[in-house]
Amino acid sequence: MKMRLPLAFITNAKLLSGFRIRHGINNGITITSLLSSCNICSRAERNWIKPVGYDTGVMTYNSLTKQKEPLVLAQEKIASWYSCGPTVYDHAHLGHACSYVRFDILQRILSRLFGINVIHVMVITDIDDKIIQRSLEENISPTVLARMHEEEFKRDMQALRVLPPAVYMRVTDNIPQIVAFIERIIRNGHAYVTNQGNVYFNTQSIGSRYGKLVNLGGIVGEQGVQDKRDPRDFALWKASKPHEPHWVSSWGQGRPGWHIECSTIASSVFGSQLDIHSGGIDLAFPHHENEIAQSEAYHQCEQWGNYFLHSGHLHLKGNVEKMSKSLKNYITIKDFLASYTANEFRLFCLLTKYRSAIDYSDASMNEARSTLSTISAFCHNAQAYMQGHLQCQPIEEGLLWERLSATQNSVRKALADDFDTPKAVDAIMSLIHHGNCQLQPVTKVHGPRSPVVFGAMLSYVREIMDVFGVDLLDEKEVHDSSGVLNNVVEELVHFRSEVRKFALSVQDQAPQDPKPGSEIQKSHPQPDRIPLLKACDAFRNNLAPLGVHIKDRGTISTWEITRGEMRKN
C-alpha cells in the first residue's frame, strides 16, 4: 500500500517541489489515492472565520484556507504561537534544524520588524512508541533516553542560534491535564472507551468538520486495530502493554496518544483560541488535523487555531524523499556544524521561501557561504572607508541615500508578504552591489569624502541581518577564537605593512628638469628590495586558505578572518 499526502497544501504547480510524497502507513491510516489540487476541500475555505482583533499588516499563507490571509491577532501586538517540538529518541538532524530555523526567522521578523510580542510554547514529546522501542534496544530507561536527547536538542538549537520558546513543556509533566482533557471530550460526546481500555476520538461526531486541513476522501481503512468504530478514529489514550511506561486513568492504566498532548498543552497555556500553530508540512495530516478536531471538541468552538503555518521539507539534492531518521539519509546538526557555521545555515534557509522544499548540497551551501562572504566583505570595506584606510573616488552620495531608502521599503514590503526572505535578501544584495560600485580604491583622492552614508548602510545591513538571526559581529563564529588571535594578526599585518612601505620606496627620482623630448622614467622599487615584496605577497597568499584575508590598498593593508573558508580548506 502507498500513503501519500494530499496536494491540499499546494496552491499551484510552482509549489510542487515543496511537496513530499511518502510511502508507508502513517499512524495506522492507509491512504491509497493521491488527491489533486482540484480536490482541495473548498468547505474548509468557506468556513474559515477571519479573526477579529489587531491587524499586523502582514499577509501569511494559511494552510486552513490554502491562500494568503491578513494576519490578525486576538490581542494587540501579542501573538500566541504553538509549535510541535521533537520526539526525543535520537539525535536531531538537519531536516529538523531547517524547520526550526525557518520558524525562528519568522518569529524574529514579527518581533523585531513588526513589533509583535511572540509568546511561543513548544512541546517535548518524551513518551512515544519510538522512545519505548529505542529504550528497549539500548537497555536504558525511556525517561533517561528522552532526557539525554532533549538536552542535546536544546544544545543544538542554541548552536544554531534558534531563540528558545517562552517555555518547553514535556508530555510526561502534563499527564493529569491530558487525562482531564480526554475526560471532557468524552463528556462532550466526541470520544469513547473500548473494552480493551483504549480511548478513541469519534470522528463521526463532528461530521464534515473533520478535514479542515486536508481532503480525507482517500482514506479507506486502518490496519491492525480492531476496537474502533470508524477507521478514521484516532487514539486519545492507549491501554498499557507489558514493560511499557504507564499512568493511571479512569479507563485503566495506559499512556497518551500522539495528538492529544499538543491540544492539551496548547490549551493549558492559551485557552480556547490560538493565533498561530506551526510545524513541518508532514505534520499537517494526521497530527494537526487531529489536533484541530479534538481541541474544538474540547472547547466546543468553531475555530480553535486561526493560522496554520507549515514549512517545506529539506531534501538531499537528487533525493525525492525528505531527510529523515527512518530513511537513514540524515546529517546530524553536530556533524553539520563541523563543516559550516550557524550563520551560513541561516543564509541557506533565507535564500528560499519557508514554505518551499529546499535541496541540501555542497553547491547550495557554497551559495549561502558566498552570499554571507559578500555581505561581510562589504561591511569590512565600508568600515575601512569610514576609518580612512580605503581611499576611493568621490562618492555619489545622493544615489546611495536613495538606494538605502528604497531597500528599506522593499525589504519591509517583501517580509510583510508571507515572509518572503529570498526577495528581501535580493534587495539587500542589490544595495551592497551599489555600495561596492562606489568603493573602488584609488591611489590619489580628489574631492570630499562621504563616510556618513556608508555608516548608515553598514548599520542597516547589520541590523536587518540581526533581525534574521545572522550575527555579523559574532566574534566566536567569525574569528573562532578569543581576542588574542585578533591582536596577533593585527601585529603581523602591521609588521608586513612596514616591510612593504620600505620595499616600495623607489630609486632616486628622475631629474627635476628633464631635457625637452626626454621621457620621464617610471619609478620602480629598488632591485634589492623586490624579494621583500615577493615575500609579503607570499605571506598574504599563504594566509588566505587559513581564513586570514589581507587586502593591500597602496601602502595601507587591512585584514579580516573568515571562519568558513578556513574550515573548507
Side-chain angles (χ1 to χ4, degrees), residues 400-419:
L400 291 183
W401 283 116
E402 290 177 8
R403 289 288 181 181
L404 175 59
S405 178
T407 300
Q408 290 170 326
N409 292 332
S410 296
V411 168
R412 187 179 181 89
K413 183 178 179 181
L415 298 178
D417 183 13
D418 197 28
F419 310 98

Side-chain angles (χ1 to χ4, degrees), residues 85-106:
T87 301
V88 283
Y89 74 99
D90 204 342
H91 306 292
H93 59 65
L94 213 56
H96 301 135
C98 188
S99 181
Y100 292 123
V101 168
R102 282 171 149 181
F103 284 124
D104 179 70
I105 291 170
L106 266 57

Side-chain angles (χ1 to χ4, degrees), residues 202-221:
N202 184 358
T203 54
Q204 293 182 5
S205 69
I206 59 174
S208 60
R209 291 178 60 197
Y210 187 59
K212 283 193 171 185
L213 281 173
V214 300
N215 185 330
L216 301 177
I219 294 182
V220 297

Side-chain angles (χ1 to χ4, degrees), residues 309-382:
L309 277 55
H310 291 108
S311 61
H313 283 143
L314 180 117
H315 302 259
L316 289 173
K317 190 171 180 63
N319 192 335
V320 297
E321 298 285 359
K322 74 162 186 172
M323 184 177 289
S324 71
K325 296 172 186 173
S326 60
L327 296 173
K328 302 186 184 303
N329 63 349
Y330 64 91
I331 301 169
T332 67
I333 295 171
K334 182 179 180 180
D335 287 344
F336 171 82
L337 290 175
S339 300
Y340 299 99
T341 69
N343 275 343
E344 289 165 348
F345 187 67
R346 283 200 173 245
L347 256 297
F348 169 75
C349 293
L350 286 164
L351 293 175
T352 58
K353 294 183 179 180
Y354 76 94
R355 291 190 289 118
S356 301
I358 184 169
D359 284 335
Y360 174 83
S361 65
D362 287 339
S364 59
M365 283 307 305
N366 285 336
E367 180 186 2
R369 173 175 283 172
S370 175
T371 302
L372 180 61
S373 178
T374 299
I375 296 170
S376 298
F378 168 76
C379 293
H380 179 78
N381 291 338

Side-chain angles (χ1 to χ4, degrees), residues 422-433:
K423 186 176 288 186
V425 172
D426 282 346
I428 295 165
M429 298 309 292
S430 177
L431 174 67
I432 288 174
H433 168 74

Side-chain angles (χ1 to χ4, degrees), residues 62 97 103 114 161 171 178 205 258 281 368 420 492:
N62 190 354
F103 284 124
F114 296 98
R161 208 174 288 116
V171 174
I178 291 173
S205 69
W258 175 28
I281 194 171
D420 194 340
L492 287 172

Side-chain angles (χ1 to χ4, degrees), residues 47 63 84 130 163 171 188 219 333 354 377 391 404 559 562:
N47 288 351
S63 294
C84 300
K130 294 177 180 178
L163 295 174
V171 174
N188 290 344
I219 294 182
I333 295 171
Y354 76 94
Q391 307 297 327
L404 175 59
W559 62 272
T562 54

